[in-house]
Amino acid sequence: LEPYKNRVSNFFESLKTTELAWYNELKSAYPAIDIDFALKRAKLWLSSNYKKDFKKFLMNWMSKENPTIQIEQKQQEDNPDSEEYLKKVELQKAFKKMQENYER
């Protein structure tokens, strides 16, 4: 049986290859949502929370996304002068360190 973190990574990689048709349907079903941005957040959530059915999980995740808030968050996170950007960088560093410790 494949380890959970590998299943998560493989599933998200498959969205651009073997599951491309489903990914495109997802994008057309939620035109107001930045799907790639939402997928990054969903993948991070899944890396810490066990779910069996990733497609079902993503459908639920997308239905709860708020396009307006999502756009504002992305703009804040992409602005190097914002507090949100600095928090994001610190969280990424902490997550990477935690992941390295876990893989040891």
Side-chain angles (χ1 to χ4, degrees), residues 10-100:
N10 290 340
F11 172 75
F12 280 87
E13 288 172 17
S14 77
L15 292 176
K16 302 295 177 147
T17 57
T18 57
E19 294 292 339
L20 185 59
W22 188 82
Y23 168 79
N24 288 331
E25 287 180 39
L26 190 66
K27 288 184 86 161
S28 68
Y30 297 97
I33 301 294
D34 180 341
I35 296 297
D36 293 322
F37 182 68
L39 287 173
K40 286 180 187 177
R41 294 175 49 232
K43 182 179 180 182
L44 181 61
W45 191 93
L46 278 171
S47 69
S48 302
N49 299 276
Y50 183 83
K51 290 288 181 184
K52 287 184 181 180
D53 188 340
F54 296 148
K55 284 185 178 180
K56 181 179 177 183
F57 166 78
L58 284 179
M59 291 302 296
N60 289 331
W61 183 275
M62 295 302 166
S63 69
K64 294 174 186 172
E65 284 288 295
N66 182 326
T68 305
I69 291 173
Q70 190 187 59
I71 291 167
E72 290 171 3
Q73 284 177 335
K74 189 172 182 185
Q75 287 171 344
Q76 287 177 346
E77 289 181 6
D78 291 342
N79 178 358
D81 296 327
S82 77
E83 190 175 318
E84 290 299 316
Y85 179 83
L86 297 175
K87 284 181 189 175
K88 178 181 164 185
V89 169
E90 290 302 314
L91 281 172
Q92 287 173 337
K93 288 179 186 175
F95 182 74
K96 186 173 182 177
K97 187 174 183 177
M98 192 171 68
Q99 192 173 25
E100 289 170 355

